[in-house]
Amino acid sequence: MPSVHLADRGVVRVSGEDAKSFLDNLITCDLDRVSAHTARLGALLTPQGKILFDFIVFQAPQEIGGAYYLDVLKVFAPDLAKRLGFYKLRAKVAVEDLSESLAIVAGWDAARPDDEAGLVVEDPRLPALGWRALVAAQDAAEFGKDPAEAYHAHRIALGVPEGGRDFLFGDAFPHEALMDQLKGVDFDKGCYVGQEVVSRMQHRGTARTRIVPALYEGGFAADVGVEVTAGEKALGTTGTGAQGRGLLMIRLDRAADALRAGEVIRAGGIPVRLEKPSWIGFPFPGEAELPS
């Protein structure tokens, strides 16, 4: 019954009477869908629509102020807080990096902590990921008793990417990072930074590069950032891997052409088989309807 302290995750708090409207005008998810019991995957984008930071948005109960907490890769928490500060202008908000006093714990096939322990929610990306909790840093070891590698193996097996691990910040669009599949972009909300580009990709169906799960032959996974090929053609690069499974950022059309031609796809020289999870809704390499 695994539960893990994700020590590589930090927390940025956005509070104040304008906190909701301030964030809603900046990030990809709709804060009307976030509450004390429901989190949401979101991102802050460049004006060109590429991901600067991805995070999970928690909200404290209204009776204690209703502040928003952004669960982000810890090394990027200071930069996220600084970037949000640039947008603050006259908004009545406070932005704070609380990564030293707060911690993130995740669990699956395990009993959830009581609500008194902190903010506890179902992982908003995929129910199979389990639960996620924001707790006091001094309490993290009590709830997260397994190694972080167990969480990442679980995540990778489910096909769920994370920024800074499976794609580079400033280099990937939300569709490429599967945020459209994992409820990280709300297409019916108002404007936010980069919204025009993301909406155009959605409506025109122009996302040709995607992260996809793969099963490695032989039970080993390639290192992060090595080339994925088929024959003489480059398809993309590898993301994280564990226990013979991995995530690949590849061109879907090139992978489809390779499979139609009977070519073997290799990641770091290791043969792989692409696997489509049930939650992915876009045409997948190997399916007849995927155009070349």
Side-chain angles (χ1 to χ4, degrees):
M1 295 171 55
S3 60
V4 173
H5 170 209
L6 297 175
D8 64 336
R9 305 296 293 182
V11 180
V12 172
R13 180 169 68 187
V14 181
S15 58
E17 62 181 272
D18 293 341
K20 182 178 179 181
S21 58
F22 170 74
L23 280 177
D24 231 0
N25 289 329
L26 294 176
I27 66 177
T28 59
C29 59
D30 187 349
L31 293 190
D32 283 340
R33 301 176 185 269
V34 178
S35 71
H37 305 290
T38 306
R40 200 80 169 175
L41 174 65
L44 180 64
L45 309 180
T46 67
Q48 295 74 35
K50 294 192 174 182
I51 301 169
L52 279 174
F53 310 91
D54 67 345
F55 38 74
I56 292 175
V57 186
F58 291 77
Q59 185 181 18
Q62 291 297 334
E63 56 266 27
I64 58 172
Y68 294 94
Y69 294 82
L70 309 184
D71 160 5
V72 65
L73 202 60
K74 190 172 186 177
V75 69
F76 290 102
D79 291 339
L80 174 57
K82 184 177 180 180
R83 179 70 62 141
L84 291 174
F86 289 155
Y87 287 108
K88 198 168 90 166
L89 301 176
R90 294 185 176 83
K92 296 177 181 178
V93 296
V95 181
E96 306 161 272
D97 178 3
L98 300 183
S99 300
E100 298 307 313
S101 58
L102 297 174
I104 301 297
V105 177
W108 60 103
D109 298 330
R112 288 169 46 143
D114 295 333
D115 288 342
E116 289 75 16
L119 300 178
V120 186
V121 297
E122 181 181 89
D123 193 300
R125 297 168 293 180
L126 204 64
L129 279 168
W131 51 262
R132 204 166 178 100
L134 174 69
V135 302
Q138 64 266 26
D139 297 333
E142 176 185 348
F143 302 109
K145 299 179 180 180
D146 292 276
E149 290 78 11
Y151 166 79
H152 289 293
H154 178 59
R155 171 183 68 78
I156 292 164
L158 291 170
V160 178
E162 287 190 354
R165 293 181 176 274
D166 301 299
F167 59 89
L168 297 176
F169 290 124
D171 191 55
F173 293 104
H175 286 78
E176 294 177 334
L178 308 187
M179 292 190 67
D180 62 316
Q181 306 292 303
L182 295 166
K183 301 184 287 291
V185 182
D186 286 296
F187 293 101
D188 55 356
K189 67 169 282 185
C191 293
Y192 55 87
V193 178
Q195 183 255 356
E196 182 179 348
V197 176
V198 176
S199 293
R200 186 163 60 245
M201 291 184 75
Q202 174 72 5
H203 296 306
R204 294 183 180 177
T206 54
R208 292 189 297 175
T209 300
R210 293 272 199 173
I211 291 176
V212 297
L215 182 66
Y216 283 84
E217 185 176 294
F220 297 97
D223 293 334
V224 175
V226 301
E227 195 171 49
V228 180
T229 60
E232 298 299 318
K233 292 185 179 179
L235 305 187
T237 56
T238 58
T240 51
Q243 299 177 2
R245 295 180 178 274
L247 300 174
L248 314 177
M249 174 80 83
I250 61 171
R251 279 279 298 265
L252 299 179
D253 54 344
R254 292 180 185 174
D257 289 344
L259 293 174
R260 276 194 287 265
E263 296 177 326
V264 176
I265 297 176
R266 300 176 184 272
I270 306 172
V272 296
R273 185 176 76 246
L274 306 185
E275 292 192 326
K276 183 178 182 178
S278 60
W279 53 267
I280 280 182
F282 56 84
F284 204 75
E287 294 180 338
E289 67 267 26
L290 183 65
S292 59

